[in-house]
Amino acid sequence: MRYEELTGLVQARAQLPDRQSAERAIRATLETLAERIPGGLADHMAAQLPQEAGEPLRRVAAAHEGTPEERAHRRDHGERFDLTGFAGRVAWRTEHTEEEALREAAAFFEVLDSAVDPELMEKLYGVLPSDIRELLPEARAERG
C-alpha cells in the first residue's frame, strides 16, 4: 500500500478534514503503539508499511532511554499502559480530545489490518491488553 493510499483511507474512515490531520493521526497512533509493543514487533510492522508511515515506529523503538536493562525490557515487552494511557498519549500528540484520538486510532487500525500481513496483526493482537485490543477491527477482536 502506498503512503498516499494509507493516508487517504485513514482520512476517509476517521472523517478527518484533510490529509495533514490523517498524517498526524497515523503518526500519533504509531508512536504510541511503538511505546506499547515489543521493539521487534514494531520493527516488523515498520518494514511492512510505506517508509513515511514506518518511520515513527522505527524512531520510537530506537529511542528508548534508560539503563541497559530497562531498554532491553522495553525492547522485549514494550511499556505497560492501558487504553486510558493509550488515548491520552494519542490525544496529546494530535492535540485532540481522547474521544477523537480513539476514533482516529480505531480508523487507523482498520486500515493497518489491510496493509500488513494477517500474521503480524495476530501478533499485535496477542501483545496488547484487552482494552486496547478493542480498537482493532471487529472481526479480529472477535477471534481473540
Side-chain angles (χ1 to χ4, degrees), residues 62-139:
H64 286 149
E65 297 178 2
T67 67
E69 294 81 18
E70 289 170 334
R71 285 194 309 271
H73 183 269
R74 280 193 212 107
R75 177 121 186 109
D76 293 341
H77 304 288
E79 205 178 317
R80 298 291 176 225
F81 50 85
D82 61 7
L83 183 61
T84 302
F86 190 90
R89 290 173 190 222
V90 174
W92 176 77
R93 287 178 165 120
T94 58
E95 298 181 356
H96 290 159
T97 66
E98 288 184 8
E99 183 178 310
E100 291 168 323
L102 289 175
R103 180 178 49 78
E104 292 166 11
F108 170 72
F109 283 130
E110 284 182 40
V111 175
L112 181 68
D113 190 50
S114 62
V116 301
D117 255 355
E119 235 176 67
L120 191 58
M121 287 302 290
E122 291 296 334
K123 288 180 182 176
L124 179 62
Y125 186 85
V127 300
L128 292 174
S130 61
D131 57 351
I132 296 176
R133 276 192 301 235
E134 292 176 14
L135 296 176
L136 297 178
E138 291 272 337

Side-chain angles (χ1 to χ4, degrees), residues 31-44:
E31 287 173 353
T32 304
L33 189 62
E35 292 169 342
R36 182 62 183 83
I37 64 176
L41 182 55
D43 291 340
H44 289 301

